[in-house]
């Protein structure tokens, strides 16, 4: 941690002005009190706080529900064991979702107007971006990569049903999850080269507040731009495209399987031989039509579709950050928060609903969860009573 004197000596006047301006913007201390900023006696700042309060409440409720759901997901998959590669990847997905939800709760608290404006000895908004939002963004990219891996693995099961079990082994899946975690989270360290903690004196508050100050050296800026380009734009968009293409492919194959099964049943009813069965699209599709594999494929399609729908606002945000000014200390910083909150809400929904998907589409998951929660035992006891 930098002492006051050291921080002040290291901070350029331009950086200090940006930090102070940022703090004033979100604390409503701008002196713009014109009639255009008033509506029915309520200031625009107060209206914004009310809107933020409602959105944050919704996000936090979803976060708490998702927190419980993902803890149960991990508990169920641990009980099921990791002999199946799909259990390993789904556990990693639940763990990444869990971390993102914990960070989202912290961010929501920092944006909560009563907490934000309670006179704390630090700037909640800036510190939440430094200690929560940045790491959460990288965790969401982990979720995106794991989802891409899961959906692509399902495609391989259809394309190479006889070889995929030799390729996608439990050991391979564990290694892949570890590499994805390292590749997506470790670059977050770069943010500490771009912004650092400092005790900053704010004359208008007559106080010294813990804040973050940008490092405007060319090396730090270049490093931040490279990481943002790779991890903030290319990586999530590539993951999104992989999930999208894989999902479309899986849906098409599931329809072929359904059509093939219907033709076989029709041939059987007419007393014909099974020649039509041999004319199925290919051996892979026929193999994928097995009950267990087909159910798992359908579940992956639903998981991927949920990710696609909820990840669109995040892709929009990642696309906007490449524009100058759409950043923490940029000229469009006031527009960053609404876009961030929208993406936070959809991401929180995406991270929270997987337990419902598993429960409704996996009999093994459902029975294990009910056993874990002792629901069947309670139902049997109530019935006997």
């Amino acid at each position: 941690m930098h002492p006051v004197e050291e921080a002040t000596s290291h901070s350029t006047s331009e950086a200090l002005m940006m930090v102070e301006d940022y703090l004033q913007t979100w604390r409503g201390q701008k002196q713009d009190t014109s009639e255009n900023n008033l509506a029915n006696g309520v200031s625009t700042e107060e209206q914004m706080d009310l809107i933020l309060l409602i959105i944050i409440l919704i996000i936090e409720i979803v976060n708490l529900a998702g927190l419980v759901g993902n803890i149960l997901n991990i508990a169920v998959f641990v009980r099921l064991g990791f002999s199946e590669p799909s259990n390993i990847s789904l556990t990693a997905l639940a763990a990444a979702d869990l971390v993102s939800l914990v960070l989202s709760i912290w961010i929501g608290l920092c944006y909560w107007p009563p907490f934000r404006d309670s006179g704390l000895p630090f700037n909640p908004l800036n510190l939440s971006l430094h200690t929560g939002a940045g790491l959460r963004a990288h965790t969401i990219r982990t979720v995106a990569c794991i989802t891409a891996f899961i959906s692509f693995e399902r495609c391989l099961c259809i394309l190479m049903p006889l070889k995929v079990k030799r390729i996608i082994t439990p050991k391979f899946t564990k290694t892949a999850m570890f590499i994805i975690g390292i590749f997506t989270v470790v670059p977050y360290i770069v943010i500490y080269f771009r912004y650092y903690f400092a005790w900053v004196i704010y004359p208008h508050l007559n106080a010294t507040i813990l804040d973050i100050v940008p490092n405007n050296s060319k090396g730090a800026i270049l490093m931040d731009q490279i990481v943002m380009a790779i991890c903030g734009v290319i990586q999530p968009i590539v993951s999104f495209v992989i999930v999208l293409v894989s999902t479309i492919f899986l849906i098409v194959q599931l329809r072929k399987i359904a059509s093939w099964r219907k033709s076989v049943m029709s041939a059987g009813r007419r007393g014909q031989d099974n020649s039509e069965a041999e004319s199925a699209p290919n051996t892979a599709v026929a193999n994928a039509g097995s009950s267990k594999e087909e159910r798992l494929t359908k579940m992956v399609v639903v998981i991927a579709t949920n990710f696609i729908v909820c990840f669109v606002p995040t892709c929009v945000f990642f696309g906007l950050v490449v524009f100058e000014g759409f950043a923490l200390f940029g000229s469009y910083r006031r527009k960053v928060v609404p876009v961030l909150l929208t993406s936070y809400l959809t991401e929180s929904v995406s991270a929270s609903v997987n337990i419902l998907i598993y429960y409704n589409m996996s009999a093994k998951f459902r029975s294990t969860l009910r056993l874990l929660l002792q629901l069947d035992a309670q139902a049997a006891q109530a019935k006997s009573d």
Side-chain angles (χ1 to χ4, degrees):
M1 193 70 66
H2 298 269
V4 177
E5 295 80 8
E6 185 179 352
T8 305
S9 63
H10 280 79
S11 303
T12 63
S13 59
E14 180 183 2
L16 182 58
M17 287 177 61
M18 286 192 293
V19 173
E20 183 171 354
D21 183 59
Y22 187 76
L23 179 64
Q24 290 183 21
T25 298
W26 288 109
R27 291 204 170 192
Q29 294 179 0
K30 294 290 187 181
Q31 299 301 315
D32 185 8
T33 56
S34 62
E35 294 183 0
N36 292 331
N37 289 336
L38 297 174
N40 299 322
V42 181
S43 69
T44 301
E45 201 69 37
E46 290 173 338
Q47 290 176 338
M48 179 61 70
D49 280 348
L50 180 60
I51 294 172
L52 288 177
L53 193 64
I54 295 172
I55 296 176
I56 291 170
L57 266 174
I58 297 172
I59 294 175
E60 294 294 66
I61 291 172
V62 174
N63 287 337
L64 291 172
L67 203 66
V68 175
N70 281 288
I71 291 174
L72 291 175
N73 286 341
I74 294 173
V76 170
F77 289 125
V78 169
R79 178 165 290 196
L80 288 173
F82 300 125
S83 58
E84 293 289 334
S86 58
N87 287 353
I88 298 172
S89 54
L90 291 175
T91 302
L93 180 63
D97 283 335
L98 182 64
V99 173
S100 72
L101 289 169
V102 170
L103 293 171
S104 185
I105 290 173
W106 162 242
I107 297 167
L109 179 63
C110 290
Y111 276 83
W112 187 274
F115 180 82
R116 184 194 69 197
D117 300 327
S118 58
L120 296 166
F122 60 89
N123 184 348
L125 291 177
N126 284 6
L127 261 68
S128 72
L129 290 168
H130 204 34
T131 61
L135 181 56
R136 184 181 180 277
H138 285 268
T139 305
I140 293 299
R141 291 158 197 163
T142 305
V143 172
C145 288
I146 294 174
T147 306
F149 177 89
I150 293 171
S151 56
F152 184 70
E153 184 265 343
R154 278 291 93 196
C155 293
L156 291 180
C157 287
I158 291 178
L159 292 172
M160 301 184 300
L162 302 179
K163 296 180 180 179
V164 70
K165 290 187 179 296
R166 295 198 298 268
I167 299 173
I168 310 296
T169 62
K171 183 177 180 180
F172 176 87
T173 304
K174 290 178 183 177
T175 303
M177 295 301 103
F178 177 77
I179 292 174
I180 287 173
I182 294 297
F183 179 67
T184 54
V185 175
V186 168
Y188 172 69
I189 299 173
V190 172
I191 196 174
Y192 288 99
F193 292 97
R194 182 68 177 91
Y195 304 98
Y196 62 88
F197 291 105
W199 291 96
V200 181
I201 300 174
Y202 290 95
H204 70 281
L205 295 176
N206 193 28
T208 299
I209 294 176
L210 181 63
D211 210 326
I212 59 174
V213 176
N215 178 0
N216 290 325
S217 65
K218 292 183 178 179
I221 294 175
L222 178 61
M223 190 183 303
D224 184 48
Q225 289 174 341
I226 293 173
V227 170
M228 180 58 68
I230 297 174
C231 299
V233 180
I234 298 175
Q235 179 186 312
I237 291 179
V238 168
S239 299
F240 182 82
V241 171
I242 292 174
V243 175
L244 181 62
V245 173
S246 299
T247 303
I248 294 173
F249 173 80
L250 292 174
I251 291 173
V252 170
Q253 295 304 314
L254 285 172
R255 288 184 175 180
K256 286 183 179 181
I257 292 169
S259 176
W260 168 74
R261 184 181 292 111
K262 184 178 179 181
S263 67
V264 171
M265 292 176 64
S266 176
R269 284 195 298 267
R270 292 195 304 266
Q272 297 178 355
D273 58 23
N274 292 329
S275 58
E276 290 189 43
E278 297 175 359
S279 63
N282 51 50
T283 306
V285 174
N287 184 278
S290 64
S291 180
K292 178 182 176 181
E293 291 297 314
E294 187 177 352
R295 286 198 303 269
L296 182 56
T297 301
K298 288 180 179 178
M299 189 174 75
V300 170
V301 167
V302 176
I303 294 171
T305 302
N306 166 58
F307 170 81
I308 291 169
V309 173
C310 295
F311 202 63
V312 169
T314 304
C315 283
V316 172
F317 176 74
F318 287 153
L320 289 174
V321 295
V322 301
F323 293 101
E324 184 178 356
F326 198 85
L328 177 60
F329 292 101
S331 55
Y332 298 106
R333 57 187 175 275
R334 288 181 67 92
K335 301 183 185 299
V336 172
V337 173
V339 177
L340 271 177
L341 289 178
T342 302
S343 64
Y344 283 177
L345 177 58
T346 56
E347 288 165 359
S348 295
V349 170
S350 177
S352 302
V353 301
N354 281 342
I355 188 171
L356 301 178
I357 298 173
Y358 303 152
Y359 187 85
N360 285 283
M361 303 193 71
S362 173
K364 188 178 290 187
F365 181 94
R366 181 167 57 252
S367 61
T368 305
L369 178 61
R370 293 183 68 84
L371 182 64
L372 183 67
L373 299 177
Q374 298 184 337
L375 296 178
D376 291 330
Q378 292 176 5
Q381 183 178 359
K383 187 175 181 179
S384 62
D385 294 340

